[in-house]
Structure formats: structure tokens, C-alpha cells
Amino acid sequence: MKKSGGVTKSRAVAALPSVLTVLLALLYLFPFALAVLTAMKDPMQSARNVLAWPDPIQWDNFKEAIRVSKLSTAIGNSLITTTCSVVFITLFSAMGGYVIARNRHKWLFRFSEKLYLAALMVPFQVIMVPIYKMFKTMHLMNTLAGAILILVGTSIPYATFLYVGFVKSVPRELEEAAQTDGCGPFRAFFQIVLPLLKPITAVVAALHVLWMWNEFNISLIVLQKEAVRTVPIQQYFFFGQYSSNFNLGFAAAVVSMLPIVAFFLLAQRYLVEGIAAGAIKG
């Protein structure tokens, strides 16, 4: 009897992590489920019971939300800014992290690393007014190019910091062997080192896709005209000081979530592999 009780207790202890994982998953999925339910209701249904299943389902909310907010244009703008920003961030950060990691014995590159770390501590609110004045002078306001420029500039320090730590684990002998065979430094980086950085590149890209897609402050300052607004800015205008349309707002939010959810479903394997490889190398 004692043995049976011990086996039962050990099984319960072993099942505890799984139970906690399921509870946490339900906790994180609850806001998403609430958003979907609200998106499929009219205002009267939402007022009666927020958690009730919509009866009937208001499928027209999604069509109306896309029409009113011009969401198709906003999604196109978000795709452009997110894709271009992530490509530039990963490329420039990989090159910067490689150079800093390989030249840490030189004071200039050690200083550059400290400068990157210092940049991580500067909040966007500190540089918001200077950026606005500078972009106004350079005619970069209300342009996607201007938004991409500031998104890349503010994201490179953190991404470079991640690459520096990963490049240290790449054997220097591989580059030396390539240089012995007549490979120049640029060719050695792009053909030898960069493919080995695929795990950390997947992590950096996945993180910044999420951040760039949901970025609000920079877009609010730089992209003020309706033709160049991104998804977060267009959703913001569903909620005013004196009136709010929660049903259409959540319908637009659900539609805008679909591209990013699809991306993470497709990139999930690479993201997990990248995190696992980083943990092993760390």
C-alpha cells in the first residue's frame, strides 16, 4: 500500500509541470479568445454578456472594419516596413557583431561595444523631439523610408549585442583556413561565418518581426498621414476620446493578427532550433 501511494505521488509530481503549462497556456489564450468573441458581436451583444457566444455571429464586422480603417493599405505598409527593417537589422547587426567580437583586443572596438550597450539604455522618448525636427528638415516625415530608417537605427544595438555573444562561439580557425585558400574578409564572412550564424539570425529575425509589426510610438510620430499609416496606428483611431467602437476595433485587430500568426507558425521550427542552439553554445 505504501509503495502504491509512493508511485501515485511520483506520478502527480511528474504531471505537475504539464498541468501548469496547460493553465498558463489557457491564461495567455484568454485575451485572444475574448478579442475574437468581441469581434463577432454587435454592441448590444457585447453589452449583455462579454463572455457569451455571439448569436448570431456578426461576420460583417470584419468586412466593415477593413473598409472603415482601410486596413488593407495599413497591412501593406506594415509588411513593407517590417520586412525591410528586419532584413537590414539582421544584416547590419550580424556584420557589426562579427567585427566587434573578432577585434575585442582593440580599444576602438571595445569602446564600440560599450557604445552599443549605452544605446540600449536610451528610451525613445528622449530622442523623440530631435528625431521629429530632423526628419522634418530632411523631408522624411510621412514616408515609409523614414520609418524604416529610425526602426533599424533603434533596433541595431540590441541585435548586435546578441550577435557578439554568438560569434564568440564560432571557431576562428575556419576563417583562417579560408583566408589561407585565398578568401578575402568579406567573402569569408558571407560564405563561412554568416551561414553558421543561422540559429541566432532566426531568433533575431523572429523577435524583430513581432516588434516591428506592433511598433506604435515611432509610427505615431513619423507616419501621420493616412496613406502611410501602419496597422497599430490605424487600429488606434477606432478608439477616440468621446466614442469607441470596440467590436470593429477588435475585428480589425483579429485580421491584423493573421499575418504575424502565420509567420510564427511557419518560423516556429527555426525559432526553437535557434534558441536551443544558443542555449547550448552559451
Side-chain angles (χ1 to χ4, degrees), residues 102-226:
R102 287 294 187 254
N103 296 277
R104 288 174 60 84
H105 59 283
K106 299 179 181 179
W107 72 269
L108 179 61
F109 293 96
R110 289 201 303 272
F111 175 75
S112 299
E113 185 178 10
K114 301 300 185 293
L115 198 62
Y116 276 113
L117 291 175
L120 291 174
M121 306 175 191
V122 179
F124 175 73
Q125 288 76 8
V126 173
I127 60 175
M128 183 169 58
V129 175
I131 284 177
Y132 179 85
K133 292 182 177 180
M134 181 177 65
F135 274 39
K136 195 79 172 175
T137 303
M138 299 173 64
H139 304 289
L140 288 172
M141 289 292 295
N142 296 308
T143 63
L144 296 180
I148 292 169
L149 182 63
I150 188 63
L151 286 171
V152 173
T154 54
S155 301
I156 279 181
Y158 177 70
T160 302
F161 179 71
L162 294 179
Y163 273 107
V164 169
F166 199 90
V167 170
K168 293 176 186 177
S169 65
V170 177
R172 192 186 291 264
E173 290 76 14
L174 295 175
E175 302 158 56
E176 295 174 352
Q179 292 172 0
T180 302
D181 293 337
C183 190
F186 285 97
R187 188 178 173 187
F189 171 75
F190 284 104
Q191 293 189 357
I192 306 297
V193 179
L194 191 58
L196 298 176
L197 302 180
K198 189 183 296 183
I200 191 62
T201 299
V203 174
V204 170
L207 290 176
H208 284 84
V209 163
L210 180 62
W211 293 341
M212 298 300 104
W213 185 267
N214 292 321
E215 205 291 318
F216 182 81
N217 290 326
I218 294 174
S219 300
L220 184 64
I221 298 298
V222 179
L223 305 175
Q224 298 179 355
K225 289 185 177 179
E226 189 173 27

Side-chain angles (χ1 to χ4, degrees), residues 13-85:
V13 172
L16 184 61
S18 300
V19 173
L20 292 176
T21 301
V22 172
L23 292 176
L24 284 174
L26 293 175
L27 180 65
Y28 280 104
L29 287 174
F30 176 74
F32 177 76
L34 188 61
V36 174
L37 285 175
T38 306
M40 297 190 298
K41 295 178 181 178
D42 59 30
M44 289 300 297
Q45 290 174 337
S46 297
R48 283 196 298 267
N49 191 342
V50 177
L51 299 177
W53 183 259
D55 185 24
I57 297 176
Q58 304 296 321
W59 295 112
D60 289 339
N61 283 355
F62 297 98
K63 187 194 303 183
E64 185 68 9
I66 294 172
R67 184 189 67 81
V68 171
S69 65
K70 299 181 180 178
L71 198 59
S72 57
T73 302
I75 289 177
N77 292 334
S78 288
L79 286 173
I80 293 172
T81 55
T82 300
T83 303
C84 295
S85 298

